[in-house]
Amino acid sequence: MKNFTSILVESNKACARVTLNRPDRRNSFDSLMVEEICAAFETLGQGRLVRTIVLTGAGPTFCAGADLRWMGPDRTVSATEARQDAELLLRMFRTIDECPCLVIGRIQGAAYGGGIGLIAACDIAVAA
């Protein structure tokens, strides 16, 4: 598996762990993290060895949703760009939801906005 910038992916035989790794931003996602989550779940889901994926966050917060620097009001976007952002988020949630592996959300700390969407896309959510 390739190296990612904003997530960590570890695999130990039948179980893999995907960790949102932007604790300084409360694991809020931007377009890069969303793309990396999609790539990781697609790759792990295609493998024959991995049967379970644990989704968690680094630091005290699971996920604060979309990064305000990415989705914030000071960012001027066209209707086309806004639609592309929405479709990218939809793709991320669908990729997790449709992953053939069992996806367990290990939820530590707070979850807001799109972080709740990540939890909803998991098969099982466990508060840690």
Side-chain angles (χ1 to χ4, degrees):
M1 175 139 327
K2 74 177 204 168
N3 290 331
F4 295 108
T5 304
S6 58
I7 65 172
L8 301 173
V9 178
E10 306 164 86
S11 183
N12 182 5
K13 297 186 182 178
C15 185
R17 177 185 294 246
V18 175
T19 304
L20 309 178
N21 193 31
R22 295 182 67 211
D24 57 314
R25 300 291 302 157
R26 304 266 193 278
N27 296 319
S28 59
F29 44 79
D30 57 8
S31 59
L32 175 63
M33 181 184 270
V34 172
E35 288 286 352
E36 290 182 349
I37 289 170
C38 290
F41 275 85
E42 288 167 356
T43 301
L44 292 168
Q46 291 172 357
R48 294 180 179 249
L49 293 177
V50 175
R51 299 180 58 92
T52 304
I53 302 170
V54 176
L55 177 63
T56 190
T61 303
F62 172 69
C63 180
D67 191 329
L68 294 180
R69 291 182 189 165
W70 177 44
M71 302 292 275
D74 59 335
R75 178 178 169 229
T76 305
V77 296
S78 67
T80 302
E81 290 171 316
R83 182 181 307 262
Q84 289 170 343
D85 287 345
E87 288 172 353
L88 183 61
L89 289 173
L90 176 62
R91 180 175 160 236
M92 175 183 69
F93 294 131
R94 256 201 192 129
T95 301
I96 295 169
D97 181 53
E98 295 174 355
C99 184
C101 300
L102 175 67
V103 179
I104 301 171
R106 181 191 179 278
I107 317 307
Q108 82 290 351
Y112 300 101
I116 302 294
L118 289 175
I119 296 169
C122 294
D123 298 306
I124 298 171
V126 179

